[in-house]
Amino acid sequence: MVMEIVCPAGTPAALRAAVKAGAHTVYCGFNDETNARNFPGLNFDRAEMRDGITFAHQHGAKVLVAINTFPRAGDEAIWHRAVHDAEACGADAVILADPGLLDYTARNHTGLRRHLSVQAAAANADIINFYAENFGVKRVVLPRVLSVPEIAAINSETEVETEVFVFGGLCVMAEGRCSLSSYATGLSPNMNGVCSPASHVDYRQDAGVLDARLGGYLIHRVNKDEPAPYPTLCKGCFSVGDKTGHLFEDPVSLNAEKLIPQLQKAGVTALKIEGRQRSKSYVAQVVRNFRAAVDALDAGRPLPEGMLARLSEGQAMTTGAYKKTWR
Amino acid sequence: MSEPQNQLPHCPVALAAALRVLPLAPLSLSLTVFSRKIAKNNPGLFQRLGEYDRTDFVLDPVDLPIVMCLNPNRGQPKVKLTRRSALGTARISGPLAALLGLVHGAFDGDALFFSRDLVIEGDTGAALALRNAIDDAELDLAQEAGVLSGPFARPLHQLIALAERRTGLCLTRPEDATIW
């Protein structure tokens, strides 16, 4: 069976590009704080979501709606309405992280398939089975902290489908619990759907040297011939004493393309591509690349050579935790 | 800082030379009319700008001797070309090829940012909103110009296709986006 390619879409045009490029499934979110990519100019209003889902279904693709931030006390109705509207728009599933919202959805939208977001950071079979037994979760998006043997161990102990990231930006390895953005800006991906909100980012380029500030703090400076990273604290380059370096993680993108056969053997159902903040050009290129890879694997052909380095943060790639070689 | 195999095309020298001497007022007026036609055909583009629909954007093709000041003006955009450095709320700078490629959805904005071909300064949120709104609009400037030119649409398209082949600039919306 061909592994499912799950692709990001930040706009209706990106959704159409993903479907045309061969995505089996597209994930996207409403244009508010209910999803973890709440950036200016991105996401879908209700009419766009309905039209996008109709388009995807007409072309044989599924749409998952990410409602994966954590509801703010007193404002839960915003998140409840998002679940209701996702179902009304025809979503094939919702991607949720908050146990309260999972419980609400399981009780009030029994026919709506529920996936567990990476934001829930469910990293062992016990917690995954807990979510399945209590909230009827059918699929879990695994956090990017696991090696391939660990993923295989999880799959041997659960009936819940597993979905793993194979390409795109990497986060600090405690997803759903990262507060770095909050320290500098007061806003976080967990509560507001924004990591390093654009409104708090300031770039200055002088004589080819690019400074990036987040919430007023200089977080990295790159020289003329160096690639630029995203303006996130986790990718910041800091000086401590006489040493300067990336304190949390290097600015590189995940690319687990070569590990797809191993991930299939480990029992993984779906391969997820990160990047709802990226363009339709990115979406089309990455989807085509990964669709060709899973089709080749299914047909018993060698995997095609990838061409994705240029699309990667820092123009460099890693297999992340899948092959653990911590420094 | 494009890699050699992925070098962005250079802006034609003749275009840069012409823009050093051509009067900019009529060009600005023409571009304002053109952008309003685009606005009329693509209202979603301005809705997607949200709170930034009256922001002063400066678009700086670094290989041309002009900059473009654009205010979306809630769907009635105003465009002004100037040879002086212009102040705006958000500034997007890069080779003309990169800016045209972004407009036509051929390139990925983040990839151009990583490679340092694109520089964003000022209000990053505004720049991001403009980039995302344009990416969603699926614009084709040649198509829009053709609609405006009535009976001359066919020769205009032929001329644009020739210019595209000669310069390598992305003057139309490609079927398959080029990887960058």
Side-chain angles (χ1 to χ4, degrees):
Chain A
M1 188 173 171
V2 181
M3 296 179 87
E4 181 181 330
I5 302 290
V6 182
C7 307
T11 62
L15 181 148
R16 293 190 292 273
V19 170
K20 287 178 189 171
H24 300 107
T25 301
V26 178
Y27 68 101
C28 48
F30 291 120
N31 53 357
D32 57 31
E33 67 226 275
T34 62
N35 92 78
R37 285 287 183 273
N38 182 23
F39 288 105
L42 274 190
N43 299 315
F44 294 64
D45 64 26
R46 268 48 177 180
E48 288 170 338
M49 184 65 79
R50 190 173 52 248
D51 292 347
I53 291 172
T54 301
F55 177 87
H57 287 173
Q58 284 168 345
H59 291 78
K62 293 177 183 170
V63 176
L64 316 178
V65 178
I67 308 172
N68 57 345
T69 49
F70 295 83
R72 194 170 48 249
D75 284 330
E76 295 89 346
I78 296 170
W79 280 260
H80 295 171
R81 194 160 54 244
V83 172
H84 171 272
D85 292 348
E87 185 172 45
C89 289
D92 295 280
V94 285
I95 308 171
L96 310 174
D98 180 69
L101 190 60
L102 277 159
D103 182 59
Y104 167 85
T105 306
R107 289 175 190 274
N108 296 283
H109 301 273
T110 51
L112 184 57
R113 186 177 158 97
R114 295 171 290 285
H115 291 187
L116 189 65
S117 169
V118 69
Q119 286 283 89
N124 60 66
D126 287 346
I127 188 66
I128 293 167
N129 288 331
F130 172 83
Y131 279 110
E133 287 160 16
N134 289 280
F135 310 122
V137 163
K138 300 293 184 194
R139 179 182 295 183
V140 56
V141 184
L142 294 177
R144 287 160 277 192
V145 297
L146 301 165
S147 65
V148 175
E150 287 168 339
I151 292 169
I154 287 174
N155 278 321
S156 71
E157 294 177 43
T158 183
E159 295 299 312
V160 178
E161 296 172 0
T162 52
E163 179 176 314
V164 300
F165 281 94
V166 287
F167 191 81
L170 280 169
C171 282
V172 172
M173 302 305 182
E175 286 158 305
R177 296 163 194 173
C178 176
S179 297
L180 284 175
S181 178
S182 293
Y183 286 128
T185 71
L187 299 170
S188 75
N190 312 317
M191 301 299 290
N192 312 96
V194 280
C195 176
S196 299
S199 53
H200 291 64
V201 174
D202 183 33
Y203 292 112
R204 300 272 168 87
Q205 180 158 303
D206 187 21
V209 177
L210 180 70
D211 283 358
R213 285 183 167 76
L214 180 68
Y217 302 104
L218 179 65
I219 58 170
H220 51 68
R221 171 174 286 164
V222 287
N223 291 318
K224 190 176 181 183
D225 295 325
E226 294 173 340
Y230 279 126
T232 55
L233 271 176
C234 58
K235 310 288 173 62
C237 188
F238 303 99
S239 296
V240 180
D242 60 349
K243 291 183 180 172
T244 298
H246 294 98
L247 184 61
F248 299 102
E249 58 180 323
D250 292 344
V252 296
S253 278
L254 173 70
N255 187 357
E257 189 179 12
K258 301 290 183 207
L259 299 177
I260 292 174
Q262 294 174 51
L263 292 168
Q264 187 182 45
K265 280 182 190 159
V268 169
T269 299
L271 305 174
K272 184 166 194 146
I273 295 162
E274 186 274 346
R276 275 188 286 155
Q277 76 282 16
R278 303 293 292 265
S279 68
K280 58 182 183 285
S281 167
Y282 165 94
V283 167
Q285 295 293 338
V286 179
V287 170
R288 259 196 295 275
N289 201 80
F290 277 92
R291 178 64 192 263
V294 296
D295 285 348
L297 182 66
D298 189 56
R301 300 191 306 268
L303 295 186
E305 280 297 316
M307 304 182 299
L308 300 173
R310 196 178 163 84
L311 289 166
S312 305
E313 183 179 13
Q315 302 188 313
M317 297 187 289
T318 173
T319 53
Y322 295 131
K323 277 184 165 180
K324 279 181 180 165
T325 52
W326 303 111
R327 64 184 180 184
Chain B
M1 209 193 72
S2 301
E3 291 169 23
Q5 68 271 27
N6 286 324
Q7 282 287 355
L8 290 166
H10 292 291
C11 173
V13 176
L15 177 62
L19 285 169
R20 279 194 193 95
V21 294
L22 281 172
L24 296 185
L27 281 175
S28 299
L29 184 62
S30 303
L31 285 171
T32 295
V33 172
F34 186 46
S35 63
R36 290 188 179 188
K37 292 287 182 190
I38 292 173
K40 194 175 171 186
N41 295 336
N42 301 275
L45 193 160
F46 294 87
Q47 287 164 17
R48 199 162 272 281
L49 281 174
E51 63 181 289
Y52 301 108
D53 66 354
R54 296 196 74 179
T55 296
D56 285 318
F57 293 97
V58 176
L59 308 176
D60 181 3
V62 294
D63 43 2
L64 289 179
I66 51 126
V67 297
M68 177 191 286
C69 306
L70 166 71
N71 188 313
N73 195 28
R74 294 187 176 157
Q76 291 287 309
K78 295 175 186 171
V79 179
K80 185 181 176 190
L81 299 180
T82 174
R83 293 195 180 92
R84 291 172 297 187
S85 69
L87 291 175
T89 306
R91 183 185 196 88
I92 303 175
S93 313
L96 179 66
L99 299 178
L100 285 171
L102 279 179
V103 168
H104 287 114
F107 301 154
D108 177 67
D110 285 12
L112 290 171
F113 171 77
F114 299 149
S115 65
R116 307 286 302 278
D117 287 307
L118 203 68
V119 177
I120 294 169
E121 290 171 290
D123 187 332
T124 311
L128 207 55
L130 180 65
R131 187 203 70 177
N132 291 333
I134 285 177
D135 194 58
D136 183 56
E138 300 187 301
L139 294 177
D140 187 329
L141 297 184
Q143 198 70 37
E144 301 282 353
V147 171
L148 271 178
S149 54
F152 303 106
R154 190 180 165 87
L156 181 69
H157 282 308
Q158 289 171 338
L159 192 64
I160 290 171
L162 178 67
E164 199 167 45
R165 283 196 300 276
R166 288 276 176 87
T167 64
L169 296 173
C170 183
L171 303 175
T172 56
R173 184 158 68 90
E175 280 298 311
D176 286 312
T178 311
I179 189 163
W180 278 100

